[in-house]
Amino acid sequence: QAKHGGRNQATWFEEAMETELQARSGFEERIRRGIAQGEFVPYYQQQIDLETGELVGFEMLARWNSPEDGLVSPDLFISVAEETGLICELSEMLIAQALEDAMQWDPRLTLSVNISSVQLCDPWFAQRLLRLLNETGFPAKRFDIEITENCLNEDLGAVRAVITSLKNQGVNVTLDDFGTGYSSLARLKALPFDKLKIDKTFVAELSKEGGNTKFVEAIVSLGAGLDLPVTAEGIETKEVLEALRKFGKLKGQGYLYGRPEDSRTTNDLLSARKLLRQAIRSNDKNKD
Ligand code: C2E
Ligand code: MG
Ligand code: MG
Ligand code: MG
């Protein structure tokens, strides 16, 4: 009987594996189709100077506008896109769209994008990204790439080469989700980062009764000590904002200021604040 059960179990396991593989390849196929149909779109979340309350730029966050499932969160498709290598095509398509959108923004505003470690291991990535910047005319010094600590587990020489060629052209490099991976000072030193971003799990502690606020405070001082500007993510309430402002000079983003929005809503917001160039540009066109 035990033998029988064992065989059944093996069969069950094989079937489960097969279903899983089929589901994966089905998902991969859907992502591929979604890319071809232009279903992936950039959303933008405001980034604020917490001292002045001024809007400094936006972080682009990918969304999948799927006809079957509606608006799909990146947590559900980025990892599959990474495993299948589709992330390069997907990301570059989104960046191209985002750069075009950002060309209409006030020329003081910055654009940040998230980049996977897979992309940083591709020796041609830097060239292609710089070409996109060139083609749209968006200045590299207003462009930030956000990378996580995972990329330090990859071939560090290859990653460093890509980062260096981007930085040589003025692109800024932010260490995202700081503190959630295997953080150490050696890792912080391994690449020439320009900024640090505190993960929202640490920021969330500031809103809890008896929450551990020491980590945020320590990361802010670390940033100050290393001359690295710090951004806090996940600011949801005024109380959290006030707590952060006591720790030092910070930038930040979160639902308190705004959720990620599509390009139309973002343009409306900028237009209302007179931070859109579109009007200026069409006036210029009328002149000549
Ligand atoms: P991330 O880069 O750390 O982005 C921060 C996440 O926190 C975003 O989730 C954002 O929508 C969310 N968030 C912002 N403010 C708040 C807040 O006040 N409260 C809470 N609870 N959450 C807030 P999202 O958009 O779902 O993105 C998740 C992750 O997916 C991102 O984390 C990033 O790692 C990844 N991702 C998004 N777009 C791309 C992309 O184009 N390429 C790559 N490689 N990764 C991406
Ligand atoms: Mg990010
Ligand atoms: Mg983050
Ligand atoms: Mg995060």
Side-chain angles (χ1 to χ4, degrees):
Q1 227 200 0
K3 215 173 173 184
H4 199 86
R7 201 172 65 220
N8 274 347
Q9 225 164 9
T11 318
W12 173 83
F13 182 70
E14 276 162 25
E15 273 170 17
M17 286 287 285
E18 204 158 316
T19 320
E20 161 85 29
L21 280 176
Q22 277 166 359
R24 274 263 137 148
S25 70
F27 198 42
E28 177 181 351
E29 215 27 67
R30 280 181 52 204
I31 295 180
R32 214 181 279 282
R33 223 180 317 131
I35 294 175
Q37 308 280 335
E39 290 167 14
F40 290 89
V41 287
Y43 269 51
Y44 303 99
Q45 187 180 36
Q46 302 178 45
Q47 298 183 313
I48 308 289
D49 180 328
L50 298 188
E51 216 170 23
T52 62
E54 200 184 358
L55 175 70
V56 291
F58 291 91
E59 176 178 19
M60 189 269 275
L61 294 152
R63 294 290 182 270
W64 182 4
N65 226 327
S66 150
E68 292 106 338
D69 299 316
L71 206 59
V72 183
S73 134
D75 286 329
L76 294 174
F77 61 80
I78 293 290
S79 62
V80 179
E82 284 174 348
E83 285 160 28
T84 54
L86 287 170
I87 189 68
C88 296
E89 195 187 332
L90 174 59
S91 168
E92 284 167 39
M93 203 190 67
L94 288 167
I95 292 172
Q97 287 182 53
L99 286 171
E100 260 181 47
D101 287 337
M103 280 302 286
Q104 305 191 343
W105 303 346
D106 182 283
R108 281 164 301 186
L109 298 174
T110 59
L111 171 66
S112 302
V113 302
N114 296 285
I115 300 294
S116 296
S117 56
V118 184
Q119 295 171 279
L120 295 173
C121 294
D122 173 354
W124 299 105
F125 171 70
Q127 245 184 56
R128 291 198 305 269
L129 184 60
L130 291 170
R131 198 199 294 148
L132 283 178
L133 287 166
N134 250 318
E135 280 169 0
T136 49
F138 192 82
K141 63 177 195 322
R142 283 169 50 208
F143 189 74
D144 281 30
I145 59 168
E146 300 191 358
I147 65 184
T148 60
E149 287 156 325
N150 319 341
C151 75
L152 302 174
N153 300 332
E154 307 290 340
D155 175 359
L156 200 56
V159 172
R160 195 180 283 120
V162 168
I163 298 284
T164 305
S165 26
L166 291 174
K167 281 191 59 117
N168 283 343
Q169 300 303 313
V171 171
N172 303 288
V173 184
T174 299
L175 181 52
D176 201 354
D177 299 346
F178 182 68
T180 57
Y182 296 95
S183 309
S184 75
L185 290 177
R187 291 184 146 234
L188 202 48
K189 226 179 113 205
L191 289 174
F193 294 108
D194 299 295
K195 296 176 194 174
L196 271 186
K197 209 158 164 181
I198 310 180
D199 191 70
K200 56 177 181 283
T201 53
F202 296 113
V203 175
E205 292 290 320
L206 301 176
S207 61
K208 286 187 199 155
E209 185 87 32
N212 187 339
T213 64
K214 298 274 182 203
F215 281 91
V216 173
E217 196 173 0
I219 298 171
V220 175
S221 344
L222 181 68
L226 294 173
D227 255 335
L228 291 174
V230 177
T231 302
E233 62 175 31
I235 306 172
E236 292 184 356
T237 63
K238 281 215 171 81
E239 290 69 35
V240 166
L241 171 66
E242 288 318 315
L244 282 169
R245 289 176 65 167
K246 281 189 196 117
F247 292 148
K249 266 183 76 156
L250 285 166
K251 289 184 180 154
Q253 56 193 100
Y255 298 164
L256 175 66
Y257 293 104
R259 292 186 178 247
E261 303 283 3
D262 65 11
S263 76
R264 217 193 131 138
T265 309
T266 303
N267 272 7
D268 289 347
L269 176 147
L270 289 173
S271 171
R273 299 192 198 174
K274 309 240 179 309
L275 290 173
L276 207 57
R277 283 169 70 176
Q278 212 174 23
I280 310 166
R281 272 160 103 210
S282 57
N283 280 345
D284 284 351
K285 267 189 210 136
N286 290 344
K287 267 184 232 155
D288 48 48

